[in-house]
Amino acid sequence: MEISEIQVDGYERVARCRDTESGLHALIAVHDTTLGPSLGGMRMLPYVSEDEALFDVLRLSKGMTYKSAVAETGLGGGKSVIIGDPRELKSPELFRAMGSFVNAFEGQYITAEDMNIGIPDLELVSQTTEYVVGLSRESGSSGNPSPYTAYGCMQGMRAVLEELYGEVDFNGKRILIQGIGAVGGNLAVRLKEAGATVLICDINDQRLAELRDEHGFEIVQHDGHETTECDIYAPCARGAGINDDTIPRLRCKAVAGCANNQLLEPRHADDLKARGILYAPDYVINAGGIINVSVELLPGGYSEEAAIARIDRIDDNLRKVFEISRNKNMSTRSAAAYLAEERLKQGR
Ligand code: NAD
């Protein structure tokens, strides 16, 4: 196994690992550990080049620094990528080698699940490093993050309602959820319980029908769903749905959902502001999962009670973001970055 360093301005440590025996070709980026050791998922994709993988790992690790700074997890930002087709390259040897690579960071990088990496893969990784979180609940770890992400999003929506209407009352509010998978489905049920009128859209017709039959949600066609009049539009599917094409057609008062990278480009936060649509920055409102997993690292280990108490602060974080946005006349996206930078400055 050969580990080599890559010098990148603004990043604490970036390294590549090549292991001919297992076929591992991977990168780990630690962006910033001012607030604690870096935590971020491991993803596996058939990147066309190492440069493409490097671009991804740098962007994602920096994003984790900001996400954790705002969520106050006491952690920094890092990420890892394995270059290769998960359908062809996965093997126990590959993941054990990846564990040794993670271990070479001596705890400054802690890994977790991300795209194309599941708990069985992480269990193999954990054979060669202790710096892994998000294993199964049975093993004493924090388990599936999705219900916590959904719970955190709902907490965040409280701040959104307050900002829109001066009070937190879900009764009769029309909330449109795009994508009713692990997170969106859970969120839909919670919102209905709180009294909201829940509208759902997805490309999976069977899942839509199941949820409608069980909970009485209203189905909206996914093509053109953004033109649906509602109080809150909650993207919970893929990223980039907020763009030049959709923004003029939105008929919601706020965008607040769990999907990562909802804005196609940063400037779209300004376009939402210009249209008077309140945007809850994705990485602030979808932090429930990372907060949940971070609790594993507290002295005494994981407890759901401790996790919920911390996730409950998401609405306060959003209130701060909205306040900064108002006071400094900047988009909520810029305001979230400002809040993260402030917390990093305090930590330095
Ligand atoms: P998932 O795969 O379980 O669900 C996604 C759902 O979106 C599926 O039902 C899928 O059919 C649907 N979908 C895909 N394309 C669509 C489209 N064009 N229109 C409508 N529906 C579409 O994924 P998930 O775990 O629920 O995550 C959803 C989003 O939240 C992702 O962007 C993910 O990165 C983000 N997120 C998830 C977590 C978590 O804890 N799972 C944490 C933070 C962020």
Side-chain angles (χ1 to χ4, degrees), residues 145-146 149 178-183 202-204 236-238 258-260 286:
S146 307
T149 304
Q178 180 208 25
I180 42 157
V183 174
D202 203 293
I203 47 174
N204 181 336
C236 295
R238 299 265 171 86
C258 298
N260 279 316
N286 75 13

Side-chain angles (χ1 to χ4, degrees), residues 40-44 79-82 95 98-99 102 109 111-117 121-122 125:
M42 174 188 297
R43 63 171 54 178
M44 182 168 188
K79 201 86 184 179
S80 59
V81 296
I82 299 177
F95 287 115
M98 188 62 190
V102 170
Y109 171 64
T111 198
E113 262 187 76
D114 200 70
M115 219 177 264
N116 294 325
I117 298 293
D121 304 325
L122 285 185
V125 171

Side-chain angles (χ1 to χ4, degrees), residues 12 29-40 60-69 73-79 108-110 290 297 344:
E12 287 182 17
V30 171
H31 173 251
D32 191 295
T33 59
T34 304
L35 300 173
S38 76
L39 172 69
L60 294 165
S61 58
K62 188 172 179 182
M64 289 308 297
T65 298
Y66 281 68
K67 184 169 187 165
S68 265
T73 58
L75 295 165
K79 201 86 184 179
Q108 287 305 291
Y109 171 64
I110 300 161
I290 180 106
L297 300 166
L344 286 164

